[in-house]
Amino acid sequence: MKCVEKRLDGEVKYDGIIVKVRMDHAQLEDGRVVPREVVEHPGGVGILPVDDEGFCYMVRQFRYPFSRQLLEIPAGKLEYGEDPLACAVRELGEETGFTADELIPMGKCLTSPGISSETLYLYLARGLRAGDAHPDEGEFLNVEKYPLDELAAMAYGNELEDGKTQIAVLKAERLLKGR
């Protein structure tokens, strides 16, 4: 059985700096009309930089909605229409100062498909060359270095709470062990 909901109309209720919030009406297969809240988001990228010794470079930064710092992979928001690979190159440099010889795609994930259009593209960065980080204005973060095995254990042990970080670490672990 193919389940499809047909969007009938929608109205932007909030137009913010990063997201828009829309209230839609959708028609179900049985003809009923239901409300659907949608958060429109341009998407983003996440990058796991791994050096030749197997150390990963993470960022620790304060996340306002949770009122605390989280350990995460370097990541950033796409501009509308921006190529994810170009965004990954930019964000890697901004947050860590690294450039990479190779950015290996690790797929994409839908962050919260029940309410948000956000898609995150994940990359593994290899062949790292150090440089100076230049975070966005108002962005304060610390770069920290961890062995990949330790990060994987942290992901399995629920010490890494950020979803994109868990996915990237576990995919990279599998990818690199298969090489």
Side-chain angles (χ1 to χ4, degrees), residues 60 71 146 149-160 166:
R60 188 174 301 274
L71 184 65
Y146 292 85
D149 290 345
E150 183 179 335
L151 287 174
M154 291 168 72
Y156 285 117
N158 294 315
E159 295 173 64
L160 293 177
Q166 291 175 357

Side-chain angles (χ1 to χ4, degrees), residues 43 88 104 107 130 134 141:
I104 303 163
H134 45 283
L141 45 84

Side-chain angles (χ1 to χ4, degrees), residues 6-26:
K6 180 182 175 189
R7 181 175 185 255
L8 300 175
D9 61 32
E11 179 183 355
V12 173
K13 297 291 188 175
Y14 173 77
D15 190 356
I17 299 167
I18 297 174
V19 299
K20 288 182 184 177
V21 179
R22 219 177 57 228
M23 178 60 78
D24 288 356
H25 292 98

Side-chain angles (χ1 to χ4, degrees), residues 104-109 120-123 171:
I104 303 163
M106 293 195 296
K108 63 183 180 181
C109 61
L120 279 176
Y121 298 85
L122 300 173
Y123 294 90
K171 280 189 166 193

